[in-house]
Amino acid sequence: MTEFSSLRGHEPQFPGARRKSLNFTTRDVSRQSDLYPSSPSWKALVDERPAVLQGPSHASAGFQFDPETQRATLQQEEELWAQANPPSKFGYTVEDFLVTMRDGDKILVKVYRPARPPVANRNGESEHKGDSPGPTKTLPLLFVTHGGGWIQGSAVTEEINMLRALIKELDFIIVAPEFRLAPEYPFPTPLDDCWDTLCWAVGNSAFGIEPTNVYLAGSSAGANLAAALALMAGYSKATDHLAIRRRPAPWVLAGSELNLEVKVTGVILNVPVLCHPDFFPTYEFPYVSFTQADNTLLTNAEMRALWNLYLPSESAFEGSNPLASPLLAFLHNFPPCRIYVAGQDCLRDEGIAFAKKLKKFGRDVKLWVYPGVPHTFAEFDDLKETRDFCTDLVTGMKELMAEKPRG
């Protein structure tokens, strides 16, 4: 793991006495390319289990996903994982809600609550007492948007990717919408579903959420949605170009004030999708990871196929929309952010560029890079990088919680 720290004005560096030191303040493409070759632990895993990389070739330019097949396969895998790893294993309970969206459709939303003795908060004090937080005991909201390329996935996807590490050590009210999926519901419906659910959660006093202590988190396409939600929360005036997306239907707010403001305290972006490849600002940032990734877990052809399902051909210009490609946005209001990037990932340079752009805007950002592992590396528990990631994820979350402005 290589860590990049940029906290308001410091030049981004990749320090580490035991690792090659990399400095991405220049446009030295070769240095980012050097993050791609397989790490010793990933190479050893593939040598031992070659089936990890076997299957139909996804490198061809004309590759297309079959969403139904993808969903069925993933659902089977996640059901097995969920049976062996229920939230109670990590000290949480989960409850299902059906929440009405702005167009009248309902989606499933999972709400996780601590059901264990309290862990210490950022001040070392007990956050709540008893078996679960009562209505007068408030906790931070962790709003989680799942990965799956916008075409598949569920809350369990993020239990595997991130939540299992976070909920072992930290207490939140976690809200995870199972938004409607592309291609049946392309952009902006998944994003609208997430925004409507976020407003519903923040406006629902029964959950015991601290309304000024809201964190967003997601992996892959879920990180894309989390970044877009953070942008939407940063624009609150009726004249803003994002205002039309920000207004959920009145019933979504569950009786709260219709002028509810969502104030995001921090954002976790894990292996994020942050820019459509046709609109990446190559004039400003190096961009070699997309062409490098032609034989790994998530190839460039697969990623382009996912974009084509999220943004159908008749709306392809939406790839330049900052709510689809957050890297293209003005980031002057972006909340404190922690970013985790895999070196052998076609999305690698998007995450690095986003961190650099946040730094240019003077924002609080920290980036961790894991050289030589693919997009989905965190699914492999026996990888050293996965263990490092779990530790770093908790560290990043604790940093965000410690930096929360005192009211």
Side-chain angles (χ1 to χ4, degrees):
M1 182 273 298
T2 306
E3 182 178 325
F4 157 38
S5 177
S6 177
L7 299 178
R8 300 190 188 282
H10 298 288
E11 286 298 314
Q13 301 287 329
F14 285 76
R18 292 174 296 175
R19 301 179 179 89
K20 184 177 180 181
S21 179
L22 300 175
N23 184 339
F24 288 161
T25 57
T26 69
R27 298 178 185 176
D28 187 347
V29 172
S30 66
R31 292 183 176 179
Q32 290 185 201
S33 299
D34 288 346
L35 295 170
Y36 188 85
S38 295
S39 71
S41 58
W42 177 242
K43 184 177 185 303
L45 187 147
V46 173
D47 289 345
E48 181 181 343
R49 296 155 56 187
V52 167
L53 292 180
Q54 289 179 354
S57 174
H58 292 177
S60 62
F63 171 77
Q64 295 183 351
F65 279 105
D66 177 355
E68 291 300 326
T69 300
Q70 293 289 131
R71 292 168 189 168
T73 301
L74 182 62
Q75 183 178 357
Q76 290 179 351
E77 295 171 353
E78 292 187 346
E79 285 177 351
L80 290 174
W81 190 91
Q83 289 172 7
N85 300 277
S88 58
K89 178 178 178 180
F90 305 101
Y92 271 69
T93 63
V94 63
E95 186 176 1
D96 292 347
F97 293 83
L98 287 177
V99 180
T100 304
M101 300 291 98
R102 64 184 65 193
D103 61 3
D105 278 3
K106 296 179 184 292
I107 68 167
L108 177 67
V109 177
K110 291 187 175 292
V111 178
Y112 303 74
R113 297 181 177 93
R116 62 189 176 202
V119 297
N121 66 11
R122 60 180 177 273
N123 299 316
E125 302 165 346
S126 173
E127 195 75 42
H128 67 272
K129 297 179 180 180
D131 293 333
S132 63
T136 61
K137 303 293 184 180
T138 60
L139 287 172
L141 168 63
L142 181 62
F143 189 83
V144 177
T145 44
H146 69 76
W150 306 289
I151 70 167
Q152 61 180 337
S154 69
V156 175
T157 307
E158 289 312 310
E159 290 180 18
I160 299 170
N161 289 337
M162 292 196 303
L163 287 181
R164 57 178 173 156
L166 292 173
I167 63 181
K168 285 180 181 178
E169 299 193 38
L170 298 167
D171 283 349
F172 307 94
I173 304 297
I174 300 171
V175 175
E178 302 208 343
F179 51 85
R180 289 170 286 180
L181 300 171
E184 296 88 344
Y185 297 95
F187 176 84
T189 298
L191 178 59
D192 288 345
D193 286 355
C194 292
W195 179 258
D196 289 353
T197 308
L198 178 59
C199 291
W200 169 81
V202 172
N204 195 327
S205 59
F207 289 147
I209 290 168
E210 298 175 13
T212 59
N213 202 2
V214 175
Y215 301 91
L216 308 178
S219 299
S220 193
N224 172 277
L225 295 169
L229 291 172
L231 292 173
M232 293 167 72
Y235 289 80
S236 58
K237 297 179 182 178
T239 55
D240 286 330
H241 71 286
L242 298 180
I244 189 170
R245 294 262 65 85
R246 294 185 70 257
R247 291 196 203 102
W251 58 79
V252 169
L253 300 183
S256 64
E257 294 293 331
L258 296 187
N259 62 354
L260 173 74
E261 292 295 331
V262 177
K263 297 181 179 179
V264 176
T265 310
V267 182
I268 296 282
L269 303 179
N270 177 36
V271 290
V273 183
L274 292 167
C275 193
H276 190 288
D278 291 345
F279 298 95
F280 188 94
T282 53
Y283 55 85
E284 189 174 5
F285 304 108
Y287 190 45
V288 293
S289 60
F290 197 78
T291 54
Q292 281 184 301
D294 59 1
N295 185 27
T296 184
L297 299 184
L298 187 63
T299 66
N300 46 30
E302 288 175 311
M303 192 63 237
R304 186 171 288 281
L306 291 171
W307 274 114
N308 290 342
L309 294 174
Y310 189 48
L311 303 178
S313 57
E314 60 269 21
S315 62
F317 71 94
E318 290 283 19
S320 63
N321 185 328
L323 293 182
S325 296
L327 178 61
L328 305 180
F330 290 104
L331 302 179
H332 56 288
N333 287 329
F334 205 86
C337 186
R338 300 295 180 264
I339 305 172
Y340 302 84
V341 169
Q344 198 178 98
D345 186 357
C346 66
L347 307 174
R348 179 195 69 219
D349 293 350
E350 299 172 32
I352 293 173
F354 197 72
K356 292 174 67 175
K357 187 168 182 177
L358 283 170
K359 190 264 178 180
K360 288 182 179 180
F361 276 86
R363 308 311 294 164
D364 175 346
V365 59
K366 196 168 185 178
L367 169 70
W368 283 266
V369 178
Y370 305 90
V373 291
H375 181 72
T376 57
F377 77 96
E379 297 177 4
F380 299 92
D381 290 344
D382 40 357
L383 281 180
K384 175 186 180 297
E385 288 84 356
T386 299
R387 296 191 293 273
D388 290 343
F389 164 70
C390 290
T391 299
D392 298 336
L393 181 63
V394 173
T395 297
M397 189 73 245
K398 287 182 175 178
E399 289 175 355
L400 293 177
M401 296 175 74
E403 293 171 12
K404 176 183 177 292
R406 302 301 174 87

